Amino acid sequence: MHLLLVMTESLKLRVVPSEARLGSGGGEEPWPGGNVNREGCTDDGGDVKPCSMLGLVRRVGGGHPVSGTTRLPGSGPRPRDPELRFVSSFAEVAAMDSAAATGEGQRFKRTPRQSLAGNLELDPLLNENLDQWPHLNELVQCYKADLVKDDCKYGRYENVAHPSFQNQIFEGPDTDIETELQLCNARQSKFDETTEDDIPSTSGRQIYETEMPVSSSKKHCSLSPLLAYEPAFDWENERSLIFGQRVPESVPVINSSGLKITVKVLSLSFQAGLVEPFSGTICLYNRDKREKLSEDFYFHILPTEMQDAQFSLDRRGIFSLDAPSPSVCLLIQLEKATTEEGGVTPSVYSRKEPVHLTEKEKQKLQVWSRIMPYKESFAWAMIPLFENNHTGGAASPSSPLAPSMSGSSSQDSIVEPISKLTLDGKPNHYSSGSSVIVEISNLNKVKESYIEDSLQDPKRKVHKPVKGVLRLEVEKLHNGHNDMDNISEGGSMANDLNDAGELSNGRYNRSSFDGIHGSLNSSTIIQKNAYQNGQASNRESGENFQAFDFQMMTRSEPFSQLFHCLYVYPLTISLSRKRNLFVRVELRKDDSDIRKPPLEAVHPKDWNTTLQKWVHTQIAVGTRVAYYHDEVKISLPALLTPQHHLLFTFFHVDLQMKLEAPKPVVMGYAVVPLLTHIQLLSDISLPILRELVPHYLQESGKERMDYLEDGKTVFRLRLRLCSSLFPVNERIRDFFVEYDRHTLHTSPPWGSELLEAINSLKNVESTVLLQFVQPILNMLLHLIGDGGETLQVAAFRAMVNILTRVQQESSDGAERNRFLVNYVDFSFDDFGDRQVPVYPGLSTVWGSLARSKAKGYRVGPVYDDVLAMAWFFLELIVKSMGLEQSRLFYHNLPLGEDVPPLQLKEGVFRCIMQLFDCLLTEVHERCKKGLSLAKRLNSTLAFFCYDLLSIIEPRQVFELVSLYMDKFAGVCQSVLHDCKLTFLQIICDHDLFVEMPGRDPSDRNYLSSVLIQEIFLTLDHDDLSQRAKAARILVVLICKHEFDARYQKSEDKLYIAQLYFPLIGQILDEMPVFYNLNAIEKREVLVVILQIIRNLDDMTLIKAWQQSIARTRLFFKLLEECITHFEHNKTGDSLLLGSCSRSPDVEQSASPKYSDRLSPSVNVYLSEASRHEIRPQGTPENGYMWNRLSPQLSSPNQPYSLREALAQAQSSRIGSTARALRESLHPVLRQKLELWEENLSTAVSLEVLGIIDKFSVAAASRSISTDYTKLDCVTSVLTGLLSRSQPLAFWKAFLPAVYNILNLHGATLMARENDRFLKQIAFHLLRLAVFRNDSIRKRAVAGLKILVRNSFNYFKNTTRLRVMLTITLSELMSDVQVTQMKSDGSLEESGETRRLRKSLEEMADVQCKDLLKECGLPVTALEVDPEGPTDNRWSWVEVKHLSKCLVQALDAGLDHALLGSVMTLDRYAAAEGFYKLAMAYAPVPDLHIMWLLHLCDAHQEMQSWTEAAQCAVAVAGVIMQALVGRNDAVWNKEHVASLCKICPIVNTDVSSEASAAEVEGYGASKLTVDSAVKYLQLANKLFAQAELYHFCASIQELIIPVYKSRRAHGQLAKCHTSLKDIYESILEQEASPIPFIDATYYRVGFYGERFGKLNKKEYVFREPRDVRLGDIMEKLSHIYEAKMDGNHTLHIIPDSRQVNADELQPGVCYLQITAVDPVMEDEDLGSRRERNFSLSTGTVRARVFDRFLFDTPFTKNGKTQGGLEDQWKRRTVLQTEGSFPALVNRLPVIKSESLEFSPVENAIGMIETRTAALRNELEEPRSSEEQLPRLQSLQRILQGSVAVQVNSGVLSVCTAFLSGEPATRLRSQELQQLIAALLEFMAVCKRAIRVHFRLIEL
């Protein structure tokens, strides 16, 4: 027992802060890994800069620093120096406080070994002197010593909490997610609080994650891209994926059975009444095999009057069971005081009448029970525990437990399934679940003694049942460490899905007591929910009885507990006479003196008493053959001798009531020597001695003994040995004996017997070998440690053989057998201080064998077994070293110093090096052959180095690593390279990997440099699987660092980033390697790069940018790749099934892939979660279970479980697409996935934006020398960010960043060279101005104002910016939904258009300080640089003009879009729409020309040649104006002015706008002389078709200078020929007797709501000259009748009177169409003459009109027509907006004037008109050949003046005004004017008649 005293207290962690050694060398480039010292500072010129990272408290496996040590402010991880060592210490064993119990800051932890819960302590029998029996000492130490566990072996990782994710609001189309919203609302209603971010994101989702806290960091992104990429990161899960990964085992338990059952006796009641004490036993019994499965649990029941204060029924029996079985039952046997002869018999408890006991009977029973100490059998019952549901047979009666998880379908079930029991994952800790109460009313009464085997005998006599009830409380419990494979198909597994994204890999057993049946034999089961609210008492407290599980002796598993008991079962005694017999059993040490007391080794039936000297059985009353079913438990001594024996004494007792208690009489004795019979498995039959004589065990004395029944073997018994000290196998016992002789040096010097015993171990039966494997291994290791070479080899080979057998014969599918793992991890303690450490001897003998193999010697097949079990030996070596390190420095270190590494002897380390080299050779050679053993051995070697890093000097381990890397140098075969990656993956997973030193004191972290080099080398490997693996290793490592609780300070993160920073330099040096990766691998690498840069300080990053311009350019290319690969796509846009075509993992490609943006581990996480029912974080009270959501959310067509959804998807063959797989996810998982993807895209975008901001600041301060004249590195990345869908969080950070960048580099970015970038900025700001999210839209407005401010700063005006915004607005209009459909099918303005107009109008809002503050900008952000003159400062007038121009362009586009389908019907509106677009985009020549050409084409389709020609002239004018503006053409301003006379729209002001319109991509393609000539020629052609030849002449005069400057004489000739033809055509028009009219004009008024914007407006239409009034009425009626609905009709007003719109009938739309005449420029509109337009067309002049008139007759009495004396005339003059011919067919009327003429004025005007016509014909100049007027024209005029036939003419005027009453009403002046006009008319007529006569004569 001295071993227990060695480790009674543990070492405390002693740490002394020691300064880190600074790296030497400086000035190297940081990109490829220049020397960056540990503290995050670089060395310049050899000078050491003061750094903050000066010390680090050494933390082992993620533990916290031990109290008493301080960490310097700002300290962080640093490489391990020789002065700073790893810590290894034992944990305290005794009196561990709460801190020590957790193993905090300690390496080895001792855990007291659990002991069997029994009534009595076994130790007193083991306190003998065992030194003379070494094997017993080893056995006792093996079972009693504390478990020693290395807490660092499997890594200790304390991670910070996973980040919460906030909803990212992406603008996009709303989607129909009604189901998700219902689910979210159902869940959200349970929340106590709601956050501000409950706003649904793009898809309308509401996620239950809370918003992340706002970081105080100045970084743009508070969420790391890496954390968003790995939202479900699980270090344990990632480690488990490593090939050959070691899986830790839980602490070994007493009993590995998967099921435990507790039984508590509640009460016993009889109909007759309970008046005497009863007792009984309960055990597990297999009724099929008729064998006991456990020892008996004793209980006592007392009547109420006999109970005292100490009596309690709270004691429970705990039974263990491997697995449920229908044959397993509870065997309950009751006993009572033996019946008095002639007294009250037990039949009173089963009789019918009388029911109750009489008072006399009660008194007799009570008195007798008090004086009678002996018992007899009373009744028994057998209660099945589990139903036989799986066999199809009848249900077992009264079974309280059921293995099935589904409810029973039997109609006999009398209770509902009770609450489920769940595992808590802790070994030997049981849930306080529900239990059932079993009422047993079928107690079988017995009248005679019996043995248990006869209870099920069908010939057994059946007696009347006992009329009573025994109530039990039965509960089924599960061990937490077991998985229980007995789950039925109907059951399901439940897994918790928490918010951190962790999915438990353990299976939850949803157990319930289902299917409990009513008993056929009157057994009733009542449900009882005991132990509610955590108030359950401990099931395994000291008051409870842990029944020994007899199956433990047959299991193939090592004994882990000390038990050394013998169970004795007296069965039968056959005598010739009837007796009242009972048996006393005792254990005696020897037979020397019968008077000596026996050993106190017998366990009593009363649980609260100590071990007794003997125990009695029941009494077999009045029988010749006595049967017994008693169980006697005896604790055996640790060392059995031949003298140890059992003594049975047989007594007869008289059962009559006398004055005193009956006294038993000895009938005989029986003796059983233990060593002789203890191993027998069959029953033992013995004779009975009459008396004992001294030395009765000796053979010589047996002849003198007297026997009963003539010496026949009349006594039969059964023994059951349960011992972990005494093996039944003879070979093991022989080995123990020879081991003792060798250890005590009592064996011969040659030791051949020990060698034979060792070699014979290989023939031991496997079960026994497994049971004693741990002590055997300890003894063999002892022999290896201090034996000779021969003995060492023999022991080593035997050990290999044993390990191989254990691995093979007890395999559980794991590569590391769990029994062996438990031995290494817990049991092995290297013998404490009792012996030398194991590792030197083990290394020597193994190394010798390996060297022999390497030299070519034959070592036999054992070597392959050695390699297969190499993991075991190497872990033993490591643990031995660690324990020695702890022991050596435990008492020798001053307080506060670090525990130094173990200093290996040179020979030992050399031996380890040689062994390592030999094993490496085996790996290398066997890998080439493709043997799986090589990969396992490779992982074993990696873990060996991993473990050594914590024990010996790291630089010694680095020699092993270097040896490995030399063996696997370069790009080797795929399988070898895979081994190398696995090796590095394991090594770099060390807890203190970050803090490792270099191989030299001045070097950086050696392991990190090797890792980076090999990772990059692998990325260039041909094997695609190796690339993927390397990238994954990198991500997992960085993610592990990021979540590590030890490295959360900024200086820690900085140091880690500097460790990995050289990787970026290598990638930039070999960019083709990166570009050759597939998309998944690129994302892995990019997210690591972003994380490294995120944690770097600005100084390191800037220094890297300073080194090489080319590298910096490539660096920004990587940022562009980040933007591309992490772009957020809407659900289903890019979902591809499986991996991409280049995916290296064939199995992975077949697995469902839910997301190709997130980490591959997320897909694994979702796949795993899809197989289980999902429960969100929390309990069903604040969440919901998806098992059955609710009736309204589950329908027959929609599965309620994920498995059903996937099954349906597969059956309908939609599972072949990732969209179907994604949609099959539970809404919670799908929401999580979308949330993660959104946050990843957001984090990457914000991180890239932050890097750009840093670079711009550094470039502005001239600390970075760049050759970027355009800053294209910044602009390209910003453009990439803008071109992707971004959330609100990005836009919040984007505007301040761009503001800073423009402030720093405005001159460069606003220059013409950056037109493309500026246009992109403008475009995306306008795009944001359309967003529904008002916060984003306001930021867009602020961004536009910032652009205006920079335009004032650098352009002095907004002309160029207006061009830019106009261009981008035009491009945006093609992406924006301008219109939307109304319910009636018509179109209306869309919300996007309204929001865009609102934003453009807000640009000119003067009150903008609040807006700037809201957007994170300073209130002075719009102030223009004051250095310039005052007239160049900010001008709100100009800004408003800019806003107005943009709104005009928007409205033009809207009007054009609203036309929709009526565009082909209403050509006037279509042309007007094109015209508005052309005018709106006038600042941009290309767009202006484009829409003018569209307008030209529309006019040509309408055959409106004049308007089409005007469009061509306008296009030519735009080009000419631009050419004249830059002085590179043959034209000048005069030419432009002449063109303006043809088309007034051409602006004669040639300003700088033409040059401002020169934006990249615009203005350079069509602004040439040739293009101008082309459109002039087109205009000439179109004018010719319209017969407007005078315009053609003017156009030809503009073309001629071009050909003159080019000396194109042929073209000049053609031009002059064309001019000749033009002028001849003009002469022909003038010579025509019928005046030429080029067009007709009509005034159209619109009145009605259905006309829309035309309502109450007047237009002048220009129509071809052959279109009459009826034609245009028909045309307009056809156009506008189509726009009427059922509530409106169209009506045409027949006259031209003035219309009062208020008097018109509602519901009717009116058109008023009037023919109008154009007004010449010099025409007197006040003349009372009648107008004759043909009179003014005699000369060639430009037919450009902007005024029109029409005359309307009226009378004063309201009638339209009257006599000449009453007829008035109203002349209306209309002024149009613009002049005809115009670019459109109609122009709005902007001004209208009216003149009225009286009747007499009308008459005078009519006469003067006739007079003027005659005089004009007579006096019109003629050619020389034709001096006289033309006869026809003169005759026509005379007929209308003199020979009037239709109207009365002048005669009627005379009659009306010169006779009668009208003449009296005329004023004298009017009368004189009328007379003068008549006289002049008659004179002219006279002259005309004469000329006419002359012409006739000729």
Side-chain angles (χ1 to χ4, degrees), residues 42-43 72 104 144 164 371 504 552 569 600 681 689 901 914 917 989 1075 1149 1260 1349 1523 1528 1750 1770 1814 1820 1829 1894:
T42 56
D43 305 331
L72 299 181
E104 187 175 285
K144 299 295 288 183
S164 297
I371 65 174
S504 173
M552 186 184 297
Y569 301 93
E600 293 183 357
L681 300 179
L689 297 172
Q914 293 172 353
D917 189 16
D989 191 48
Y1075 287 125
S1149 62
R1349 178 252 189 187
L1523 295 176
D1528 60 350
F1750 63 93
R1770 181 182 295 110
L1814 285 174
E1820 184 176 0
R1894 194 185 313 156

Side-chain angles (χ1 to χ4, degrees), residues 487-675:
I487 298 177
S488 66
E489 293 181 0
S492 60
M493 305 290 187
N495 279 286
D496 284 345
L497 180 64
N498 56 33
D499 186 45
E502 295 179 357
L503 184 66
S504 173
N505 291 328
R507 289 181 292 170
Y508 284 173
N509 293 323
R510 191 177 64 181
S511 303
S512 61
F513 302 131
D514 296 345
I516 302 175
H517 291 269
S519 174
L520 298 178
N521 48 11
S522 303
S523 176
T524 305
I525 302 174
I526 303 174
Q527 174 180 337
K528 176 184 178 183
N529 292 326
Y531 317 109
Q532 297 295 328
N533 302 323
Q535 298 178 356
S537 62
N538 185 6
R539 298 289 194 276
E540 292 186 305
S541 64
E543 297 180 356
N544 297 331
F545 176 80
Q546 177 76 53
F548 187 85
D549 182 11
F550 291 149
Q551 297 175 89
M552 186 184 297
M553 302 305 300
T554 59
R555 293 193 188 104
S556 295
E557 61 182 34
F559 291 144
S560 59
Q561 300 295 328
L562 177 60
F563 51 90
H564 193 44
C565 298
L566 179 67
Y567 292 88
V568 182
Y569 301 93
L571 297 178
T572 61
I573 302 175
S574 300
L575 297 178
S576 58
R577 294 177 59 188
K578 292 184 178 181
R579 302 285 185 180
N580 299 329
L581 286 179
F582 70 89
V583 183
R584 185 177 73 185
V585 184
E586 57 190 75
L587 174 65
R588 288 187 168 269
K589 189 175 182 179
D590 54 46
D591 60 350
S592 60
D593 189 356
I594 191 64
R595 292 172 298 179
K596 288 184 178 180
L599 297 176
E600 293 183 357
V602 182
H603 289 250
K605 295 184 178 180
D606 295 331
W607 62 274
N608 56 352
T609 57
T610 60
L611 292 178
Q612 299 176 350
K613 298 179 181 179
W614 52 66
V615 72
H616 301 93
T617 66
Q618 296 178 1
I619 294 180
V621 180
T623 179
R624 292 187 180 93
V625 181
Y627 296 93
Y628 301 96
H629 58 269
D630 298 87
E631 177 183 85
V632 179
K633 181 179 180 181
I634 300 176
S635 289
L636 297 176
L639 188 62
L640 287 176
T641 66
Q643 294 294 315
H644 283 102
H645 63 280
L646 293 176
L647 178 60
F648 299 90
T649 306
F650 305 97
F651 293 92
H652 167 75
V653 63
D654 188 6
L655 300 179
Q656 292 182 353
M657 173 68 74
K658 298 180 180 180
L659 296 178
E660 57 184 7
K663 293 183 178 180
V665 179
V666 177
M667 300 295 298
Y669 304 91
V671 179
V672 178
L674 289 182
L675 283 180

Side-chain angles (χ1 to χ4, degrees), residues 201-307:
S201 61
T202 304
S203 59
R205 304 187 316 277
Q206 290 193 351
I207 311 300
Y208 50 84
E209 281 85 348
T210 58
E211 183 179 358
M212 292 184 301
V214 179
S215 174
S216 60
S217 172
K218 293 183 179 180
K219 292 182 179 290
H220 288 279
C221 180
S222 57
L223 177 65
S224 165
L226 179 66
L227 304 187
Y229 181 72
E230 285 281 0
F233 177 73
D234 183 358
W235 176 68
E236 292 287 352
N237 186 57
E238 294 293 342
R239 291 179 79 246
S240 66
L241 301 178
I242 301 176
F243 184 86
Q245 178 61 50
R246 301 184 298 193
V247 179
E249 293 288 340
S250 58
V251 178
V253 294
I254 306 171
N255 194 341
S256 61
S257 61
L259 178 65
K260 288 202 174 185
I261 298 169
T262 65
V263 179
K264 177 183 176 182
V265 179
L266 298 179
S267 65
L268 177 64
S269 61
F270 300 101
Q271 284 187 357
L274 180 65
V275 296
E276 59 178 326
F278 281 82
S279 60
T281 62
I282 301 176
C283 69
L284 288 183
Y285 189 80
N286 190 316
R287 60 184 178 183
D288 291 346
K289 297 181 180 180
R290 297 191 179 186
E291 66 176 4
K292 293 182 68 172
L293 302 180
S294 71
E295 66 174 311
D296 288 337
F297 162 57
Y298 291 93
F299 63 90
H300 303 277
I301 299 176
L302 300 178
T304 305
E305 56 270 15
M306 294 185 180
Q307 295 179 5

Side-chain angles (χ1 to χ4, degrees), residues 982-1238:
T982 303
F983 182 88
L984 286 174
Q985 191 176 11
I986 294 172
I987 289 290
C988 296
D989 191 48
H990 195 279
D991 294 343
L992 297 178
F993 163 75
V994 173
E995 304 166 31
M996 289 294 168
R999 293 193 68 181
D1000 296 327
S1002 60
D1003 289 346
R1004 63 188 302 115
N1005 190 309
Y1006 171 70
L1007 292 182
S1008 67
S1009 60
V1010 172
L1011 174 71
I1012 290 172
Q1013 183 64 34
E1014 292 300 328
I1015 289 291
F1016 183 76
L1017 190 66
T1018 309
L1019 293 179
D1020 197 24
H1021 201 280
D1022 293 335
D1023 192 337
L1024 302 182
S1025 62
Q1026 305 305 320
R1027 296 183 191 172
K1029 183 175 182 178
R1032 192 76 201 127
I1033 291 172
L1034 196 59
V1035 172
V1036 171
L1037 271 179
I1038 298 292
C1039 211
K1040 178 186 176 185
H1041 303 329
E1042 191 66 19
F1043 279 107
D1044 199 325
R1046 300 171 297 171
Y1047 306 138
Q1048 293 305 306
K1049 290 192 175 181
S1050 57
E1051 56 266 29
D1052 300 342
K1053 295 180 180 292
L1054 170 61
Y1055 175 72
I1056 295 172
Q1058 289 172 336
L1059 283 183
Y1060 291 95
F1061 191 44
L1063 175 66
I1064 304 178
Q1066 292 192 4
I1067 292 176
L1068 294 179
D1069 284 340
E1070 299 290 342
M1071 283 296 285
V1073 174
F1074 173 79
Y1075 287 125
N1076 198 34
L1077 302 176
N1078 64 27
I1080 296 177
E1081 295 156 3
K1082 284 183 179 179
R1083 289 189 193 96
E1084 302 264 49
V1085 173
L1086 289 173
V1087 77
V1088 168
I1089 291 175
L1090 285 178
Q1091 187 64 26
I1092 294 172
I1093 298 172
R1094 175 183 174 86
N1095 292 331
L1096 277 181
D1097 59 336
D1098 295 349
M1099 182 178 64
T1100 305
L1101 199 56
I1102 291 173
K1103 187 172 182 180
W1105 286 331
Q1106 289 173 343
Q1107 302 301 321
S1108 171
I1109 294 175
R1111 271 188 170 185
T1112 306
R1113 186 183 297 274
L1114 293 175
F1115 173 78
F1116 283 98
K1117 289 293 183 183
L1118 286 180
L1119 295 186
E1120 294 181 37
E1121 291 285 336
C1122 292
I1123 300 170
T1124 302
H1125 285 86
F1126 293 104
E1127 176 185 3
H1128 174 64
N1129 290 334
K1130 294 179 178 60
T1131 303
D1133 288 349
S1134 61
L1135 294 177
L1136 302 175
L1137 179 64
S1139 303
C1140 64
S1141 59
R1142 298 186 55 191
S1143 175
D1145 194 347
V1146 177
E1147 296 181 359
Q1148 183 181 0
S1149 62
S1151 63
K1153 185 175 183 182
Y1154 302 94
S1155 172
D1156 58 354
R1157 292 290 181 270
L1158 298 170
S1159 165
S1161 65
V1162 172
N1163 292 311
V1164 177
Y1165 165 84
L1166 293 174
S1167 299
E1168 191 69 23
S1170 301
R1171 300 188 184 100
H1172 305 278
E1173 293 177 355
I1174 307 303
R1175 179 169 62 87
Q1177 65 169 0
T1179 61
E1181 283 72 22
N1182 62 2
Y1184 66 95
M1185 292 291 289
W1186 193 46
N1187 187 11
R1188 294 280 186 184
L1189 290 177
S1190 61
Q1192 63 268 21
L1193 291 183
S1194 59
S1195 65
N1197 297 327
Q1198 295 180 347
Y1200 66 88
S1201 73
L1202 284 170
R1203 288 170 294 175
E1204 292 180 12
L1206 291 175
Q1208 288 187 11
Q1210 184 177 4
S1211 63
S1212 60
R1213 297 188 178 181
I1214 66 171
S1216 59
T1217 64
R1219 181 187 298 272
L1221 288 169
R1222 186 164 182 151
E1223 291 302 322
S1224 69
L1225 286 174
H1226 184 273
V1228 173
L1229 289 178
R1230 191 162 62 249
Q1231 290 172 6
K1232 244 182 210 304
L1233 177 59
E1234 294 172 1
L1235 182 75
W1236 290 342
E1237 288 179 335
E1238 292 175 357

Side-chain angles (χ1 to χ4, degrees), residues 1581-1833:
K1581 174 184 175 183
L1582 294 172
F1583 275 132
Q1585 286 183 280
E1587 299 183 9
L1588 296 178
Y1589 297 111
H1590 51 286
F1591 288 146
C1592 295
S1594 301
I1595 290 175
Q1596 288 293 340
E1597 292 173 358
L1598 292 173
I1599 298 176
I1600 289 174
V1602 177
Y1603 294 143
K1604 283 185 178 180
S1605 64
R1606 298 179 179 180
R1607 300 180 185 276
H1609 304 295
Q1611 296 296 335
L1612 284 172
K1614 291 181 180 179
C1615 287
H1616 287 290
T1617 302
S1618 178
L1619 273 175
K1620 174 178 175 294
D1621 296 337
I1622 289 171
Y1623 286 123
E1624 288 179 352
S1625 299
I1626 292 175
L1627 290 174
E1628 184 178 350
Q1629 286 180 352
E1630 292 178 349
S1632 174
I1634 300 176
F1636 173 73
I1637 300 176
D1638 64 320
T1640 57
Y1641 298 91
Y1642 299 94
R1643 186 209 66 155
V1644 180
F1646 298 89
Y1647 307 96
E1649 294 179 356
R1650 293 295 297 176
F1651 290 127
K1653 293 182 179 181
L1654 300 179
N1655 185 25
K1656 299 181 181 180
K1657 291 186 178 180
E1658 295 181 352
Y1659 285 83
V1660 174
F1661 283 69
R1662 185 181 188 276
E1663 295 293 328
R1665 58 175 176 263
D1666 56 347
V1667 175
R1668 301 306 176 196
L1669 183 60
D1671 298 334
I1672 192 171
M1673 283 185 177
E1674 182 181 357
K1675 184 189 296 185
L1676 293 180
S1677 298
H1678 177 68
I1679 291 174
Y1680 293 106
E1681 280 179 353
K1683 296 183 179 182
M1684 299 296 111
D1685 56 8
N1687 299 325
H1688 292 81
T1689 58
L1690 183 66
H1691 178 71
I1692 297 179
I1693 299 175
D1695 52 38
S1696 301
R1697 68 179 183 273
Q1698 292 183 351
V1699 178
N1700 187 355
D1702 297 332
E1703 297 177 357
L1704 298 177
Q1705 181 180 353
V1708 180
C1709 294
Y1710 296 90
L1711 284 176
Q1712 187 182 41
I1713 306 174
T1714 307
V1716 295
D1717 295 328
V1719 177
M1720 304 301 295
E1721 294 180 3
D1722 54 353
E1723 185 174 355
D1724 181 14
L1725 297 179
S1727 175
R1728 55 196 172 194
R1729 295 182 182 180
E1730 292 184 359
R1731 295 188 70 253
N1732 188 355
F1733 184 65
S1734 62
L1735 298 179
S1736 61
T1737 59
T1739 58
V1740 177
R1741 60 175 65 185
R1743 296 176 177 269
V1744 179
F1745 310 108
D1746 61 352
R1747 292 188 302 167
F1748 302 87
L1749 62 83
F1750 63 93
D1751 294 336
T1752 305
F1754 70 98
T1755 62
K1756 291 295 185 177
N1757 57 12
K1759 296 182 179 180
T1760 303
Q1761 298 291 335
L1764 289 179
E1765 66 278 8
D1766 298 324
Q1767 188 67 56
W1768 288 68
K1769 181 176 68 175
R1770 181 182 295 110
R1771 175 165 294 172
T1772 304
V1773 181
L1774 306 176
Q1775 178 77 37
T1776 59
E1777 185 181 13
S1779 58
F1780 287 107
L1783 298 180
V1784 290
N1785 301 77
R1786 67 184 183 188
L1787 292 175
V1789 176
I1790 60 175
K1791 185 179 180 182
S1792 178
E1793 297 178 350
S1794 298
L1795 297 175
E1796 291 184 356
F1797 296 95
S1798 63
V1800 65
E1801 288 177 330
N1802 287 335
I1804 295 173
M1806 179 185 65
I1807 296 172
E1808 289 177 347
T1809 301
R1810 301 292 176 90
T1811 304
L1814 285 174
R1815 184 180 290 113
N1816 185 53
E1817 182 63 28
L1818 294 174
E1819 298 177 355
E1820 184 176 0
R1822 300 288 186 270
S1823 60
S1824 56
E1825 296 86 0
E1826 190 177 338
Q1827 295 293 333
L1828 296 176
R1830 290 169 297 188
L1831 178 62
Q1832 295 178 352
S1833 59

Side-chain angles (χ1 to χ4, degrees), residues 11 14 886-895 897:
L11 290 174
R14 295 186 287 274
S886 300
R887 287 192 294 266
L888 285 177
F889 301 106
Y890 178 61
H891 296 292
N892 301 331
L893 279 179
L895 184 63
E897 288 193 6

